[in-house]
Amino acid sequence: GSLNLCGPAAFLHVWVKRDPVAVARFGATLFDTGEAKIGNLSIEPGSDLRNQDYATVKGRMTYVCPPADWMIMSSIRDSENAIVDFEGTPEEDFAGMTTPEEVTDWLKSTGLYKSVSNEANWVSTKGTSHALGLVPTAKRDIIMLVNAHVLAGSNKKKDPDEIFGKHFPNHFIVLYGPVTQPKSSEVSFNIWTWGDPPASYTVKKSIFEANYYGAIIADLR
């Protein structure tokens, strides 16, 4: 979780669950040839990333990302960058940023889904009522866009304001169950977040509403 790759990570988490063979073929082709395809979408990382020394990068990670995961996610991210190179290191921030439109395109490219609806944005929050309508099922995957403050808001060890900046969506998470309100002042959600196993979070409604920016909803064929 020390790499700024939450967008590719959320996508890969969903994709490998739905089609592990396709992911394995993608990774093997990428390793053998330096490029591969997600459906018709070509993933072609730049030479800086292809020549990167994973062992050196690994030594700079607070939490080590396994090499195959690192290769796949870094390549997907770098291939999308038209201006700034992503070289697979923990120090990169802007170069690792992912838009909801990109995650939507990646999901569509797998060919697994009959519809992928992008109901997320970088500008305005969506509110609790929108989140309460999100229900992942055996045939529906949901990736939420948030400011990571919404997760730190349930952590009593540190003030979330010390960890994350406010008022900007900076994190993608995969929803594992319906969003609920155990109390009128609270919101609960069970999610997978980059670098951690699935977990349940309960935060103040005010924190949730200030940090939830919508979701990408993908329905299987």
Side-chain angles (χ1 to χ4, degrees):
S2 57
L3 296 172
N4 189 23
L5 287 172
C6 62
F11 164 69
L12 182 60
H13 184 77
V14 168
W15 188 26
V16 76
K17 178 179 69 174
R18 295 299 189 184
D19 198 349
V21 173
V23 176
R25 287 174 176 161
F26 175 85
T29 302
L30 182 63
F31 181 81
D32 288 340
T33 69
E35 59 185 78
K37 287 187 175 183
I38 303 172
N40 292 322
L41 177 64
S42 294
I43 300 299
E44 301 179 26
S47 59
D48 288 346
L49 179 61
R50 293 199 307 271
N51 294 322
Q52 182 64 270
D53 181 7
Y54 170 79
T56 300
V57 174
K58 177 182 176 181
R60 304 207 300 272
M61 295 181 194
T62 304
Y63 304 98
V64 175
C65 179
D69 298 49
W70 174 84
M71 176 190 68
I72 290 173
M73 294 187 297
S74 295
S75 296
I76 292 173
R77 179 63 271 147
D78 188 52
S79 183
E80 294 281 5
N81 289 14
I83 300 174
V84 184
D85 280 342
F86 183 81
E87 299 178 9
T89 69
E91 292 80 17
E92 295 170 279
D93 43 30
F94 180 76
M97 291 176 63
T98 295
T99 68
E101 289 76 18
E102 288 173 326
V103 175
T104 300
D105 287 343
W106 299 338
L107 290 167
K108 288 180 177 179
S109 295
T110 66
L112 295 170
Y113 300 97
K114 64 181 180 182
S115 68
V116 182
S117 175
N118 178 14
E119 299 180 13
N121 69 88
W122 273 8
V123 179
S124 58
T125 54
K126 279 289 193 177
T128 301
S129 59
H130 183 273
L132 292 174
L134 300 177
V135 182
T137 67
K139 299 194 71 174
R140 169 172 288 182
D141 294 319
I142 298 176
I143 296 176
M144 301 170 71
L145 177 61
V146 300
N147 183 295
H149 180 91
V150 76
L151 304 183
S154 65
N155 182 347
K156 309 243 187 298
K157 294 181 181 179
K158 287 187 178 181
D159 182 341
D161 292 347
E162 297 177 1
I163 309 172
F164 304 106
K166 287 185 175 182
H167 310 306
F168 185 79
N170 59 10
H171 194 49
F172 290 93
I173 55 180
V174 179
L175 188 62
Y176 264 53
V179 178
T180 62
Q181 278 191 275
K183 299 179 181 177
S184 61
S185 61
E186 293 180 342
V187 177
S188 292
F189 47 98
N190 184 16
I191 55 97
W192 176 88
T193 179
W194 171 214
D196 289 326
S200 295
Y201 294 79
T202 298
V203 300
K204 292 180 180 178
K205 182 180 178 181
S206 59
I207 291 178
F208 184 86
E209 290 195 329
N211 294 283
Y212 169 61
Y213 288 81
I216 299 157
I217 303 165
D219 290 311
L220 290 172
R221 294 183 184 280

